[in-house]
Amino acid sequence: KKLLDHENIDVVLQTRACCKFDESEQKWSLTAHGENQCIGQFNWLVGSDRLSAANNRSDLRDAPLSSFKSLVEPIVSIPILTLMVAIDSPLQIPFDGLRFEEGGKFGALGWIARDTSKPGRDRIDGRECWVVQSGPKAAKELLESVKGTTFENTREIIRKKAREILLADFVAALPKLTHEDVVLPTTLSVVGHRWSAAFPLLQHSHDDKMLCSEDYENNFVACGDYFGSTAGRIEGAFLSGINAAETILQAVSKTEKGVVQNREVGR
């Protein structure tokens, strides 16, 4: 929400939108899933979640986006384990985020980030939160080892083990990263979670030069971390989003020029 803080942008949170395209008006109509409440009409639709095209989702079920659905259907999701740690005072290390190579001296860790350093998430009470993520190999080993009696039971076991493993490796990593006796401040909350669709497993036919997918006929553009040469990382999502914005701006500019030219011809 903080990144979209602009006087011309209205942000609607915690809402899953169902999208329909009106070919006669060339506009997208969005309604809130379940409530069927109108969110609004828009000239362009941007799809940043590839799973919105899944058969079990109603987001784009009635949308004429066969090319986009064909593009994302073969992409497999790679799960990871995630941990949110809330502590009562700032962690004294000289960085806000770090990526790890799997199989090294940092155990299951794949990524850590000072969540309170993100735009709009700073705190005035002196506390802070850290996000700790595993690598895909560590997640696969844990997920395959858990045999619960029910879905709920399996989920709780995974959450507990994710919390235990990631917290232990996070604490053990601190002195290795700083070469000092850094101790994790008192924890206020520690929550483990399985992130089922964390990263995309791309096909061999993946085009590194493709930064977004556009459908000019239906005023739609797709972007996300499954495009480009840095696919699967935040850099890939960022570059894809920029390219999607440029695509829309260019399309709108051409449309406006066409309207002006038609008016001049009409004169």
Side-chain angles (χ1 to χ4, degrees):
K1 181 178 180 179
K2 191 69 176 180
L3 294 174
L4 296 174
D5 187 9
H6 190 279
E7 60 181 4
N8 293 331
I9 299 178
D10 294 326
V11 180
V12 179
L13 301 176
Q14 298 181 344
T15 302
R16 175 170 291 177
C18 298
C19 312
K20 291 183 179 181
F21 185 62
D22 189 326
E23 295 184 9
S24 60
E25 294 189 13
Q26 288 291 294
K27 286 189 176 182
W28 285 92
S29 295
L30 273 61
T31 56
H33 176 68
E35 303 172 2
N36 204 32
Q37 181 179 354
C38 179
I39 299 174
Q41 280 195 323
F42 305 90
N43 298 98
W44 278 78
L45 180 67
V46 180
S48 60
D49 180 8
R50 58 186 169 83
L51 297 180
S52 62
N55 292 328
N56 63 335
R57 294 266 292 267
S58 58
D59 310 34
L60 300 175
R61 187 174 296 163
D62 299 322
L65 300 174
S66 56
S67 58
F68 170 61
K69 295 175 182 178
S70 298
L71 173 69
V72 298
E73 186 178 13
I75 301 176
V76 177
S77 296
I78 302 175
I80 63 168
L81 308 173
T82 301
L83 186 76
M84 175 65 83
V85 184
I87 49 182
D88 69 350
S89 60
L91 188 56
Q92 300 302 319
I93 53 179
F95 51 79
D96 293 327
L98 193 65
R99 183 168 170 261
F100 300 89
E101 294 294 333
E102 271 198 288
K105 59 181 179 180
F106 298 103
L109 298 184
W111 166 259
I112 61 174
R114 195 189 311 259
D115 193 71
T116 357
S117 68
K118 297 177 182 178
R121 297 194 182 181
D122 51 307
R123 304 179 64 105
I124 60 174
D125 59 4
R127 300 174 177 179
E128 69 178 22
C129 296
W130 279 80
V131 173
V132 183
Q133 295 178 350
S134 76
K137 291 181 181 178
K140 182 179 180 181
E141 291 177 0
L142 187 146
L143 295 175
E144 290 180 347
S145 68
V146 173
K147 306 295 182 183
T149 55
T150 64
F151 172 79
E152 290 75 14
N153 176 244
T154 301
R155 181 176 58 186
E156 288 306 313
I157 294 174
I158 291 173
R159 287 176 175 175
K160 181 180 179 180
K161 288 185 174 294
R163 183 171 65 244
E164 293 173 351
I165 294 171
L166 292 179
L167 182 61
D169 287 348
F170 181 45
V171 171
L174 296 178
K176 298 176 185 177
L177 294 171
T178 60
H179 304 291
E180 298 177 4
D181 294 331
V182 177
V183 178
L184 186 70
T186 302
T187 56
L188 304 174
S189 177
V190 184
V191 180
H193 175 66
R194 167 184 172 168
W195 186 5
S196 299
F199 300 108
L201 180 61
L202 303 174
Q203 306 300 308
H204 294 296
S205 58
H206 175 71
D207 184 358
D208 287 348
K209 297 180 180 180
M210 184 179 181
L211 294 178
C212 70
S213 175
E214 59 281 323
D215 184 340
Y216 294 110
E217 184 177 347
N218 295 302
N219 294 1
F220 174 82
V221 61
C223 58
D225 65 352
Y226 54 100
F227 288 102
S229 59
T230 53
R233 292 162 56 180
I234 187 63
E235 298 94 323
F238 181 81
L239 294 173
S240 179
I242 290 177
N243 197 263
E246 292 175 346
T247 297
I248 294 176
L249 289 175
Q250 291 173 5
V252 171
S253 177
K254 289 180 180 179
T255 301
E256 290 177 346
K257 288 179 181 179
V259 171
V260 172
Q261 289 175 355
N262 289 334
R263 287 176 180 172
E264 291 178 349
V265 170
R267 291 175 186 172

